[in-house]
Structure formats: structure tokens, C-alpha cells
Amino acid sequence: MASRANLSDIAKALGVSVATVSNAMSGKGRVSQELGRTIREKAKELGYVPSLAGRALSTGRSHVLGLVLADIAHPLFPQFAQAIEHAASEAGYGVLIGDSRGDVEAQSRAINRLIERGADGIVVVPRHGTRIGDIGRPVAVIDSPTTPGNTVAADHWNGGREIGRHLLDLGHRSVAIIGLHSDSNVQNDRIGGIREAFAGRGETRLIWIGEMERRHGAGCSLGLVRLVEEGVTAFAAVSDLHALRAITELQQGGISIPGDVSVTGFDDLVWAGVIAPSLTTMRMDMERIAEIAIADLISQIEQDGAGAVPHGLKASQGQNCIPMELIIRQSSGPKLGLPASDERTPGLRGSASPTVDQV
Amino acid sequence: MASRANLSDIAKALGVSVATVSNAMSGKGRVSQELGRTIREKAKELGYVPSLAGRALSTGRSHVLGLVLADIAHPLFPQFAQAIEHAASEAGYGVLIGDSRGDVEAQSRAINRLIERGADGIVVVPRHGTRIGDIGRPVAVIDSPTTPGNTVAADHWNGGREIGRHLLDLGHRSVAIIGLHSDSNVQNDRIGGIREAFAGRGETRLIWIGEMERRHGAGCSLGLVRLVEEGVTAFAAVSDLHALRAITELQQGGISIPGDVSVTGFDDLVWAGVIAPSLTTMRMDMERIAEIAIADLISQIEQDGAGAVPHGLKASQGQNCIPMELIIRQSSGPKLGLPASDERTPGLRGSASPTVDQV
DNA sequence: CTGAAAGCGCTTACAG
DNA sequence: CTGAAAGCGCTTACAG
């Protein structure tokens, strides 16, 4: 297990020049089929692994991308990281992570660190209400279709609309929408969609968790039971995290889901399928989002040298708003008293005959 | 904004040699204080950013570490990634992510890819029951103190013991322990600790979710309500994810927590503080774990050239078993009927007077 | 204390 | 189709 073979070793072993070996390995033609094959065989035999550092130095490209999320501790991070890593890896790029710990200015520092580390481009999922300035290197922003400069995103608005329709179809006419911050484009889109669906067909009210916690402390009650008493029959959270909070608060208050009220979320986070009742939610197509983000980034990288070309899409904008997928699970059901005209399978867990049923 | 200044630019601007500039920048002495200062000033003035590729090529060190988790979609990944990124970044290293999507052999491929990308070393949080062979590059394994080759880990066993004691202190004498796989060292440690605490003081039984799902399908009921009827008063899950499942299943079954039974978890996942009731759990000190893993890795890197020195700790083994921290929240309380001799603060949510109270 | 030179492993015009 | 040469930006003995 001598130290790694390099181009020169192969060249020597075959009595050819390193230039030829290089050309053969990169497969850009310029070498006879015959010789090309021989060289590649020898390379394999010697266990040749190209040195990225050597390549990077001569091409000026590191073939590494940076991934910066507003908050690396966000429960969606795993999904993002996995999809981005996969897409990048398919395209021959590595992914370096940057963390901004939810802090706005740390976000730009994180981006800068990654650039100093030689990232050829950056994928950023920005913090609510942040805008990414020109960083002199290609960037792909994943936020919301309504965010200026956004590269690709799920169609959050339409996702909201579908959630709204789903609840309307089940007979719900009074929904409480649960959000966190009013400065998040993603959340505002989702909320806008839900409201649009309900417009003229039912009433919506809005709960901002962030605001409630500022007033009553973190982890405070959301007062959901009270809302049920006032006639709300459905809760549509803009994230599974908030849906989870709603479900447990309602359950703790003795309210049956979906017997008494329905609850929906967004994002299909890891626990959504596992809690009782399992959570109806809206899922992003992370694979496609990642693919498009990476493709855009790479096309930018391969165009401009290292240029300060303002990032933006040449690709068809329409393609960059990715549909979300409604996943109907047990937490949403027909409004109490309505004929159960649903065609959904009963599910594995017996939400059919709830044992709790008061308030 | 011309293209980036390099050592040679600084050297020319000052009429000195690049060697001197290099020495001045790396601060390894060899340069007069005077000149050193001048050079560094000029460097700053020109906005000099060292080329990692150049450095990597000449030193053979990329200053990049790889992070491989069994499953990047695991809810603990964010905590790990954040802590590792932070520790690495402090030490001047970048972090490249690798994904093995929960697949055992993909795990080694992921490791190899990172090595081909030039990672100087790898941090791996292995999949249950996997063992990392020699990969010809420094590795730090974070798994369980009882895993052979483990570098650093939380003291899962003792964490289990503390959970057990906590439940005993609350008066519980019959606990159901909820695990996923019996081939996970981490889980076995946690379970062993709980059992040790209960030995001779109460009875424990064990539920393997993985096994139940194999028999009854994913998302199946865990039959927890039945257990309560049989006299179980506490559920100790080896992960917050399973605790969450337990809490919702119990609540859905009309059982009050902590009124009727207590539930505890592990890991303090993102939602633990936010559900109702909030979840009592055991938290790892990720910052310390990450620090130690990174320190170990770097010391290995700086010792052997690229050697096949079998990884292992020279550092004091004792230091590498990091205590966990018990976080008492509302999901655990005194056993029903017992005098409430607890000193815990009542918490923000009124678990004091539960409205649900049947079965 | 400072500098000239070689070399890390690759790619890329440019010749032949 | 193939090769000799220069260069990417740095570091590191080795001289002076």
C-alpha cells in the first residue's frame, strides 16, 4: 500500500507523457481509443485516484459546493442535506457545510468562510427575511418563489391551497392557521394559500407562535382548546413542528383527533408518520429542488470564470416552482357529525373509534 | 475587484521573496518582527486570502474533514453536524458531508468518497452494529463507550441509570422500556443502565419497536394502553422519537401524562421542549463530544503522515465518556396516588390539573 | 534574517 | 495522435 499513484506514475509505467495520461483520464478525446484504454486500465491497476488538490490548483475549481442553512438545527436540515449531497455528488461535487446558528450576520460569515475554503458556489436556504447580497461567487437560493432572487423552491402557496381544499372537502369551515414568524416568506406563502382556498367558503384565523411566546414565555399554551370551544374544527400548521405542538396540546386537553378536530402540518418531518394519530402533511420534493439548485449552480460556475455576474436564472422560471405533495394521514378527518364520505383507508391505528370524546 | 491577490502579488508589492511572505503569513518565526508586520499589513490591504488548493498541494493536507452519519436523515444529525462543524471550524478545518442513507455498505462507500475528495480524516457515527475497518486515514468514531474502537461518546449507560433513578424517585416500580433495534450499542447501553437502576427495586419490561413493526407493519400501535392496564406506570424510551410516539399513543388512548403515567426520552430532540406535556429527557453534551472527536482526529492527522496507524486513543480513555444531562420536564411526575413530594417547578403548562383522567 | 529553487499533481495551450 | 513545457499558489529544505 505505497502512497497513492499519480499521473506521472502511470505515464512512467507506460512510457508515455503525463499530458497524454491526463487527456486519456479526462476522456476529452485527443487520445487514440487504443492508448486511452491501455492507460485507463493501468490507472485502475495502480489504484489511481486523481488528486483534487492538483486539479483544483490548475483549473481554479475546487469542485466543492457550500451549503448554508439559516439554522443547521432546523428539523428540515437532514432532508436538505441529504438531497443536496446526493445531487452534488452525482454531479461530481462535494458539499461543505456552513452553520450560521440562526444568526443573520453569522449567515454571511458562514458564506464567506466557505468561499475562503474554496467553494465554487453556495447553496443557501436563508433565514426568514434575509436577503443574500452579491458574494462574488455563484449562489443558488432556496426559499420561496416569491422571494426576490430565489432560484428554486417548493410551491408553498399552492401547497397551502391544497391543504385548505383538503380541509374544506372534509367539511371544515373554521380553521385556525398556526405560524411562527410573520417575516418568513415561506410561511406567508403557505398561509396565503390556505386563506385563498377558504376565501368565501369558510373562516380562518391566524396564530403566531412567536408572538405568543414573546408574551407568555417559551412553551406556553397556545390556547387551542379554547378555540375549539369557540367553534374551530381544524388546525393547519405551517410546519409539522407546530402541528405536533397542536396535536399534543389538544390531546392533553382531552380533544380527540381526528374525532373532534383535524390537524395538518407541512414538511413531512421524520416523526409525522409515527405519532398517533399520524400527521396529514404537505411534502416538498427535495430531490427535485436539490437537483435544480445544483444544476443552476453548476451552470453558473461553468459559465463565468469566477465572475461577479449577478446570479439569476436563465432557465425557465416556471420549472423552478416545484409542486408539493399532499400526504393524507390520520390526523385529518371529516368534520364531526358529517357523513363519513371519505375514501381514505382506515389506517393501521384505530382512529375509527376514539375512546376519548369530551369537551 | 481584480482576481484574488496571492503571495506573489504581496512579494512583488514589497520587493521581497514569496518565501518570506509565506513565512510571515504562517507566523512560524523565520522573519523579523518588523518585516512580518509590514507583510501582514500589505496582505490585509490587498485582501489576501490564502489558496487552500495551493497549500493542500504542497503540504498534502486538505484541512478538510469528512462527517459520515449512518443516516443523515436521523433527527440527531443537526445536533451532530452543528457541533462538529463548530469544533472543526475552530481548529481551522472544513467539514464535508457524506451520506450513507442508512445503508451499511453505502457507509463505506461514503467514507471512501470523502477520502477521495481529500478529507484528511473522518468523523463517523456508525450505523447500529457496524464496525469501521481500517480506511488508511485517521478516523474518529462516535458511538458508544462499549463499542470497540470508539473514540468518544456520551455515557449512555449512566444516562440510563439516571433516568431509571429519576423514575424510581417518583415512585414508579414498573417501567416499560422502549427501544428500536437490539443491535445498537447505544440503545443497549441506555437500556442496561435503566435496568441496573431498577434491579431489585422494580420491574422492567422491554419493547422493541423494530420487531413489532416487522410483525404488524410500520406505524402500528405499540399496545401501550394495554400495558398501563397491566400496571405499568412509566415508559422510558431510548430516544425522544419513540417517546413521542408513546406520548401520542397514550394520549390518544385517553391516558393522562404525567397524571396517569410518566414518559421519558433521550437526546432532547428539537420538539422535546415544545410538545404538551414537554418531555423529560437526557441530553448529550454534543459540544464536548465534538471537541474531543475533532481533537483526536487532528492529533492523528498531525502525527502520521498519511499512515495506516491503527486509530485508537492515546488520550486518557476516561475523558472520552461524556456525562449526559437529565432534563426534567412535564412528562414525568410522581406516581398516581403518591404524595406529590416533588420540588420541581410546576412548569408553564398546567399539568397540575389534568382535564382528562379516565381508563 | 532573507532568498532562489524545487516540487506538490494536475491541466492546457502549443508544437511536432 | 502524442509530448515538452509552463503554470496554478503554496511550502520547505537549503544556501547565503
Side-chain angles (χ1 to χ4, degrees):
Chain A
M1 201 183 275
S3 87
R4 266 147 70 144
N6 59 26
L7 285 190
S8 161
D9 294 333
I10 303 176
K12 261 176 225 149
L14 256 31
V16 299
S17 75
V18 297
T20 299
V21 177
S22 170
N23 283 132
M25 296 308 295
S26 64
K28 286 196 189 119
R30 302 161 167 276
V31 163
S32 69
Q33 297 251 323
E34 182 70 21
L35 220 203
R37 210 177 351 262
T38 319
I39 290 175
R40 277 182 295 264
E41 269 166 21
K42 182 54 96 184
K44 185 167 294 178
E45 182 193 328
L46 296 179
Y48 171 67
V49 176
S51 154
L52 281 309
R55 181 174 298 170
L57 189 54
S58 66
T59 61
R61 298 263 146 79
S62 64
H63 273 238
V64 164
L65 267 22
L67 173 61
V68 176
L69 280 95
D71 188 358
I72 217 180
H74 190 284
L76 257 175
F77 176 58
Q79 281 186 39
F80 267 114
Q82 185 159 44
I84 293 285
E85 194 279 336
H86 186 241
S89 164
E90 291 282 283
Y93 282 74
V95 178
L96 222 39
I97 56 177
D99 185 18
S100 50
R101 296 172 167 244
D103 178 353
V104 180
E105 80 167 304
Q107 182 169 285
S108 19
R109 270 181 315 197
I111 292 176
N112 282 327
R113 279 216 311 271
L114 292 179
I115 288 183
E116 288 177 9
R117 285 220 154 272
D120 289 336
I122 310 276
V123 177
V124 24
V125 185
R127 182 174 164 70
H128 314 147
T130 314
R131 205 132 141 205
I132 309 302
D134 190 342
I135 58 172
R137 202 76 65 107
V139 184
V141 178
I142 303 179
D143 188 8
S144 140
T146 57
T147 300
N150 182 68
T151 303
V152 56
D155 191 342
H156 301 288
W157 186 285
N158 198 53
R161 206 154 38 193
E162 281 192 45
I163 283 282
R165 284 186 190 144
H166 170 64
L167 292 173
L168 284 165
D169 287 351
L170 292 171
H172 297 282
R173 293 295 177 268
S174 176
V175 62
I177 303 171
I178 304 175
L180 183 61
H181 294 307
S182 58
D183 58 357
S184 153
N185 291 320
V186 168
Q187 292 189 38
N188 287 330
D189 281 9
R190 292 172 174 184
I191 292 169
I194 299 172
R195 283 182 149 160
E196 185 184 314
F198 265 75
R201 307 188 54 192
E203 57 162 17
T204 60
R205 62 186 88 188
L206 195 48
I207 299 172
W208 291 116
I209 293 184
E211 218 167 275
M212 296 199 73
E213 295 206 321
R214 204 162 39 248
R215 277 209 297 269
H216 306 113
C220 66
S221 161
L222 264 25
L224 267 30
V225 172
R226 163 69 62 98
L227 290 181
V228 175
E229 289 164 359
E230 291 174 4
V232 169
T233 65
F235 294 87
V238 298
S239 158
D240 285 357
L241 189 56
H242 312 137
L244 179 59
R245 185 163 178 172
I247 284 186
T248 53
E249 181 171 322
L250 289 164
Q251 280 187 156
Q252 196 185 38
I255 292 170
S256 163
I257 305 162
D260 298 326
V261 303
S262 289
V263 178
T264 64
F266 259 96
D267 295 340
D268 196 24
L269 296 181
V270 63
W271 64 81
V274 142
I275 57 175
S278 55
L279 182 60
T280 292
T281 190
M282 205 81 210
R283 186 187 173 86
M284 310 196 214
D285 186 346
M286 282 292 186
E287 294 297 323
R288 272 197 70 203
I289 290 175
E291 262 170 38
I292 294 176
I294 295 298
D296 175 79
L297 209 44
I298 291 178
S299 94
Q300 287 186 61
I301 290 170
E302 295 182 348
Q303 270 185 34
D304 40 275
V309 175
H311 51 79
L313 296 184
K314 312 94 226 230
S316 53
Q317 292 275 3
Q319 269 204 325
N320 300 311
C321 187
I322 312 301
M324 299 189 80
E325 180 196 0
L326 178 62
I327 300 177
I328 299 176
R329 295 205 186 93
Q330 300 163 359
S331 69
S332 62
K335 191 191 159 195
L336 200 66
L338 237 66
S341 70
D342 70 6
E343 303 145 0
R344 294 172 304 123
T345 60
L348 295 154
R349 217 153 351 189
S351 64
S353 55
T355 48
V356 192
D357 211 328
Q358 65 259 75
V359 170
Chain B
M1 203 181 277
S3 85
R4 265 146 71 146
N6 57 26
L7 285 190
S8 160
D9 294 333
I10 303 175
K12 261 177 227 149
L14 256 32
V16 298
S17 77
V18 298
T20 299
V21 178
S22 171
N23 281 132
M25 297 309 294
S26 63
K28 288 196 189 118
R30 301 161 165 278
V31 163
S32 68
Q33 296 252 325
E34 182 71 22
L35 222 202
R37 209 179 350 264
T38 319
I39 289 176
R40 279 183 293 266
E41 267 166 21
K42 182 54 98 182
K44 183 166 294 177
E45 181 191 328
L46 296 179
Y48 171 68
V49 176
S51 154
L52 282 306
R55 179 174 300 170
L57 189 54
S58 66
T59 60
R61 298 263 147 80
S62 64
H63 274 238
V64 163
L65 267 23
L67 173 61
V68 176
L69 280 94
D71 189 358
I72 215 177
H74 191 284
L76 257 176
F77 176 58
Q79 280 185 38
F80 269 114
Q82 185 160 46
I84 293 286
E85 194 279 335
H86 186 241
S89 165
E90 292 281 284
Y93 282 75
V95 178
L96 224 36
I97 56 176
D99 185 17
S100 50
R101 297 173 166 246
D103 178 353
V104 180
E105 79 166 305
Q107 183 170 283
S108 19
R109 271 181 312 192
I111 292 177
N112 282 328
R113 279 217 311 272
L114 293 179
I115 288 181
E116 289 177 8
R117 286 220 151 274
D120 290 335
I122 310 278
V123 177
V124 25
V125 185
R127 181 174 165 70
H128 315 146
T130 314
R131 205 135 139 206
I132 308 303
D134 191 341
I135 57 173
R137 204 74 67 102
V139 184
V141 178
I142 303 179
D143 188 9
S144 139
T146 58
T147 301
N150 182 69
T151 303
V152 56
D155 190 342
H156 301 290
W157 185 286
N158 199 53
R161 205 154 39 192
E162 282 192 45
I163 283 282
R165 284 187 191 145
H166 170 64
L167 292 172
L168 284 165
D169 286 350
L170 293 171
H172 298 281
R173 290 296 176 268
S174 175
V175 64
I177 302 173
I178 305 175
L180 184 60
H181 294 307
S182 58
D183 57 357
S184 154
N185 290 322
V186 168
Q187 292 187 38
N188 287 332
D189 281 8
R190 291 172 176 185
I191 292 169
I194 299 172
R195 283 180 149 161
E196 185 184 315
F198 266 74
R201 306 189 54 192
E203 57 161 17
T204 61
R205 61 185 89 189
L206 195 48
I207 299 172
W208 290 116
I209 293 184
E211 218 168 273
M212 296 200 71
E213 296 206 321
R214 202 159 45 246
R215 278 210 296 270
H216 305 113
C220 67
S221 162
L222 264 25
L224 267 29
V225 173
R226 163 72 60 100
L227 291 181
V228 175
E229 288 163 1
E230 291 173 6
V232 169
T233 65
F235 294 88
V238 298
S239 159
D240 285 356
L241 189 56
H242 312 137
L244 179 59
R245 186 164 177 172
I247 285 186
T248 53
E249 181 171 321
L250 290 164
Q251 282 190 156
Q252 196 186 39
I255 292 170
S256 162
I257 305 160
D260 298 326
V261 304
S262 288
V263 178
T264 63
F266 259 97
D267 294 341
D268 196 24
L269 297 181
V270 60
W271 65 81
V274 142
I275 58 176
S278 54
L279 182 59
T280 291
T281 191
M282 205 81 209
R283 183 187 176 87
M284 310 197 215
D285 187 345
M286 283 293 187
E287 294 296 324
R288 270 197 73 201
I289 290 175
E291 260 168 40
I292 294 176
I294 295 297
D296 175 80
L297 209 45
I298 291 177
S299 94
Q300 286 187 62
I301 291 170
E302 296 183 348
Q303 269 185 35
D304 39 276
V309 174
H311 50 79
L313 295 185
K314 311 93 224 210
S316 53
Q317 292 275 3
Q319 269 206 325
N320 300 310
C321 188
I322 312 301
M324 298 189 77
E325 182 197 357
L326 176 62
I327 301 177
I328 299 175
R329 295 206 185 92
Q330 301 163 359
S331 69
S332 63
K335 190 192 158 194
L336 202 63
L338 238 67
S341 72
D342 68 9
E343 304 147 359
R344 297 172 303 125
T345 60
L348 294 154
R349 220 155 348 193
S351 64
S353 54
T355 48
V356 191
D357 212 331
Q358 66 259 77
V359 171

